[in-house]
């Protein structure tokens, strides 16, 4: 609030929508993930609806994504007989454990099949 929006105040009433996707952006590989869209308005302590500080949300995006991915994997492992582990495919290759490269390779548009 204020001149140049330099005063930060608490907000309430955040609104978000989640959209589940089942494959990669290119559409060639299975990749269960969720996109979250967050509205850019919250209600300030004075009752006025104000813009969210987008810089704070942007800085938290990776941490929020990692928390979501870890929580999702933990819930799956709690409810199903599966485990997760890291593969040597890059920094975020967190996948079902115990599955050889041949199976994903049979379904993957990106693994040289």
């Amino acid at each position: 609030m204020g001149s140049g929006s330099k005063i930060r105040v608490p907000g309430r009433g955040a609104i978000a929508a989640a959209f589940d996707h089942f494959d990669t952006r290119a559409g060639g590989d299975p990749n269960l993930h969720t996109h979250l869209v967050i509205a850019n308005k919250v209600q300030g302590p004075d009752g006025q609806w104000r813009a969210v500080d987008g810089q704070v949300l942007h800085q938290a995006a990776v941490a929020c994504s990692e928390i979501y991915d870890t929580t999702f994997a933990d819930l799956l492992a709690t409810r199903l007989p599966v485990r997760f582990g890291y593969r040597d495919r890059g920094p975020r290759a967190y996948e079902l454990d115990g599955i050889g490269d041949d199976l994903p390779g049979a379904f993957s548009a990106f693994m040289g099949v």
Side-chain angles (χ1 to χ4, degrees):
M1 318 181 0
S3 177
S5 298
K6 294 179 181 174
I7 302 169
R8 291 187 179 163
V9 296
R12 64 184 180 141
I15 299 171
F19 301 91
D20 292 328
H21 287 179
F22 300 95
D23 57 8
T24 60
R25 286 186 178 151
D29 282 314
N31 181 17
L32 178 60
H33 63 284
T34 303
H35 293 271
L36 184 67
V37 179
I38 302 173
N40 193 34
K41 296 286 185 182
V42 293
Q43 193 175 34
D46 58 0
Q48 296 278 337
W49 286 88
R50 304 190 181 281
V52 172
D53 184 348
Q55 292 178 345
V56 172
L57 286 176
H58 189 286
Q59 290 170 354
V62 172
C64 290
S65 178
E66 294 297 327
I67 291 168
Y68 174 84
D69 290 346
T70 303
T71 302
F72 184 77
D74 186 51
L75 287 171
L76 279 178
T78 300
R79 296 176 183 178
L80 300 172
V82 297
R83 293 185 325 257
F84 287 82
Y86 288 95
R87 293 194 187 225
D88 190 19
R89 287 195 230 283
R92 296 192 70 197
Y94 191 56
E95 302 176 5
L96 285 173
D97 210 9
I99 296 175
D101 284 338
D102 55 330
L103 185 61
F107 293 95
S108 176
F110 303 106
M111 292 184 71
V113 175

